[in-house]
Amino acid sequence: TTRRSATGAIVGVVGVGQDISARKAAETRVSLLASDLRLLIDNANAPIIGIDAYGCVNEWNIKAAEITGYPKEEVAGRYLVRDFIIDDYKVAVNAVLHKALQGQETDNFEFPFITKSGQRVEVLLNATTRRDTSGKIYGVVGVGQDITELKRGQAELSRVAND
C-alpha cells in the first residue's frame, strides 16, 4: 500500500509480510509422504486396484499390470467389472465392490481376472473402502494376491488323490 503525505504526495510504501517457512516445510513433508506412498503402491509385490464410486479404475499398480497384461494407461477410467471380470463372476464381484462403497469391507474374496491375452488369473482380494479426509466414501481399493499357481496345485493334488 502506498504511503502519502498530507498533500497526497507518495512518500513511501507500507507492506505487511508473514513468515510462511513452517507452512512451506509442512507442504514439503506432505509432498514427500505422498511420493513415498505412491512408490509403495506402485512397487508393492501384490496387485493393488482401485475404483471410484462409479466402478471405474483409478488405481492400478505395476503388479496388477504384470499379472493382467494391461498397463495402467489402458485400464484407467474403464469399468472394472464390465471390462475385466469374467461373466460368471460379474455379479459377485460387483456385489463385493458395492458393499465396500457402502462401508462394508470384504476380506479374502476369490475371483478370476481375464488377462489381455485371454488367460484366466485367480486373485484373492481384500476390498477396502476409500474415504476422503471428511470420511466421505469415494471409492474402493483392493489389495490382492495372484493365487493362480496355488489353485492349479490344489487341483492337481485333488486329481492325483482321486486317481
Side-chain angles (χ1 to χ4, degrees):
T1 304
T2 57
R3 187 169 173 208
R4 299 184 180 266
S5 68
T7 63
I10 297 175
V11 295
V13 176
V14 175
V16 177
Q18 184 176 2
D19 182 1
I20 60 168
S21 301
R23 188 187 88 206
K24 294 300 261 179
E27 288 173 356
T28 299
R29 286 191 304 273
V30 167
S31 178
L32 288 172
L33 178 60
S35 178
D36 284 350
L37 290 174
R38 170 58 38 213
L39 283 171
L40 178 67
I41 290 169
D42 284 345
N43 295 300
N45 196 25
I48 299 177
I49 299 162
I51 62 164
D52 62 19
Y54 303 102
C56 295
V57 175
N58 60 10
E59 189 63 64
W60 192 267
N61 74 346
I62 293 167
K63 191 64 166 183
E66 182 182 301
I67 68 169
T68 65
Y70 289 102
K72 184 175 188 172
E73 301 76 33
E74 281 187 43
V75 298
R78 292 177 62 185
Y79 291 100
L80 177 67
V81 174
R82 183 192 72 194
D83 297 343
F84 303 104
I85 306 300
I86 65 171
D87 290 342
D88 292 347
Y89 282 82
K90 285 184 191 299
V91 172
V93 173
N94 204 42
V96 166
L97 297 175
H98 181 74
K99 281 173 43 179
L101 286 168
Q102 304 304 311
Q104 279 185 279
E105 299 176 349
T106 301
D107 293 333
N108 300 321
F109 178 70
E110 290 184 33
F111 68 95
F113 253 113
I114 296 301
T115 67
K116 189 171 185 176
S117 64
Q119 301 296 311
R120 180 178 171 135
V121 175
E122 299 290 334
V123 176
L124 182 68
L125 192 81
N126 292 340
T128 304
T129 304
R130 296 176 88 182
R131 298 175 190 271
D132 65 17
T133 55
S134 68
K136 182 180 177 213
I137 296 170
Y138 69 92
V140 177
V141 66
V143 178
Q145 182 178 355
D146 179 355
I147 58 169
T148 307
E149 291 303 317
L150 176 66
K151 298 284 273 190
R152 280 190 191 128
Q154 288 172 339
E156 180 63 16
L157 215 72
S158 179
R159 188 190 65 74
V160 170
N162 291 330
D163 283 346

